[in-house]
Amino acid sequence: MPEFGNLTSLAPEERRMALRMVEAMLFASAQPLGAREIAARLPEGSDVEALIRELEHVYSGRGVNLVQVAGKYMFRTASDLAFLLQRDAGDQKKLSRAALETLAIIAYHQPVTRAEIEEIRGVSISKGTLDVLMEAGWIKMRGRRRTPGRPVTYGTTETFLVHFGLEAIGDLPGLDELKGAGLLDGRIPPGFSVPEPRDGDALRDDEDPLDPDDLLAAGLSEHD
C-alpha cells in the first residue's frame, strides 16, 4: 500500500474509521463535497487530503472512481464503463442547437451579455434559450455590465462543471484539442482562436452586483 501523507496523529483504528467516514459521506451526498465540508465531520487530527488520496487509490480500478470536479470530490462511474449508462442518458431531453451554441459561448466568453452572445453567434437568441440553460442549472445571472442599459451578464455554474466532469472552466478543450477531436476542420480562417475560458464568481471591474429584482426573478436571495 502506498504512503498517503501524514496521518500519524490518528491511531490505526481511528484512521480506518476516518477513511470509512469519508467514503460514507461521499457515497451519501448528492453533490460533490469540498475538503472543508468533509473535515468538519471527521475526528480532530484527520488529514483530509491524505484520506482522499488513499480513497482515490483504492477506487482507481473499480467500477466507480473518486474524482475531483469543481474543486470538490465525488464518486463517478469509471469512464470506460460509461456505455452502461448510455440508455439512461439517451432518455434525457436533448438541448437544441441554439442552446448548445449559447452554452458554449457562455462557457468560453463569460461573463457575457445576451447581446454579446448574439454578436458571436451572428443570430438573435430567444429568452427561452437562456431559460432552458438556467433551469438545467448550467448557467446563472452574474451581474450587470457597466454600460448603457446595464445588461445582465451570464456565466456557468458549479453544476455545469460537475455535469461535464471539469475541475475548473480552464479544463475546457483548447484549439488543438478541438482539432484533435475532429470538432474543427483544417480550413479554419486565418487568425481564428479559441478564447481561454475564465471562471470565478467574483465580479469583474466592468460588472455591478445584481439588483434585488434580478435575484427575485432568478429565484435567488442576496445571500446566494
Side-chain angles (χ1 to χ4, degrees), residues 21-224:
M21 291 172 69
V22 175
E23 183 179 31
M25 281 188 279
L26 290 169
F27 264 119
S29 177
Q31 302 295 332
L33 297 178
R36 186 173 298 180
E37 297 172 271
I38 296 171
R41 301 188 181 185
L42 293 179
E44 185 176 353
S46 301
D47 187 333
V48 177
E49 296 298 333
L51 293 168
I52 289 291
R53 290 197 298 273
E54 184 166 353
L55 279 178
E56 286 176 335
H57 173 77
V58 169
Y59 281 89
S60 61
R62 297 190 179 179
V64 293
N65 301 148
L66 180 57
V67 299
Q68 187 173 12
V69 291
K72 299 182 179 182
Y73 301 94
M74 66 181 295
F75 283 111
R76 172 163 279 173
T77 303
S79 58
D80 62 321
L81 299 178
F83 68 92
L84 295 172
L85 305 179
Q86 285 181 349
R87 180 176 179 180
D88 293 337
D91 292 337
Q92 299 176 4
K93 183 178 180 180
K94 293 184 178 180
L95 292 179
S96 67
R97 178 176 177 176
L100 287 172
E101 291 176 353
T102 299
L103 179 61
I105 290 170
I106 293 173
Y108 278 93
H109 293 266
Q110 61 186 305
V112 62
T113 67
R114 176 176 173 178
E116 290 165 345
I117 295 170
E118 292 176 337
E119 181 179 356
I120 294 169
R121 287 193 68 223
V123 295
S124 62
I125 59 172
S126 67
K127 183 179 182 298
T129 298
L130 293 171
D131 287 342
V132 166
L133 295 175
M134 284 198 287
E135 288 172 5
W138 291 351
I139 69 169
K140 63 184 177 182
M141 298 163 61
R142 286 175 46 96
R144 284 190 176 273
R145 185 65 50 78
R146 292 178 181 173
T147 56
R150 300 182 67 244
V152 170
T153 57
Y154 296 91
T156 53
T157 64
E158 181 179 298
T159 301
F160 171 85
L161 296 176
V162 172
H163 182 86
F164 291 98
L166 301 171
E167 184 175 344
I169 281 293
D171 293 332
L172 284 169
L175 181 59
D176 292 338
E177 293 170 295
L178 291 172
K179 285 182 180 177
L183 298 176
L184 293 175
D185 61 31
R187 297 186 300 276
I188 59 176
F192 177 85
S193 64
V194 173
E196 183 176 344
R198 301 174 300 173
D199 59 358
D201 290 330
L203 296 177
R204 310 294 182 190
D205 292 339
D206 62 348
E207 289 180 286
D208 285 323
L210 292 171
D211 299 328
D213 289 344
D214 298 327
L215 297 171
L216 183 62
L220 303 173
S221 70
E222 295 185 21
H223 303 292
D224 288 337

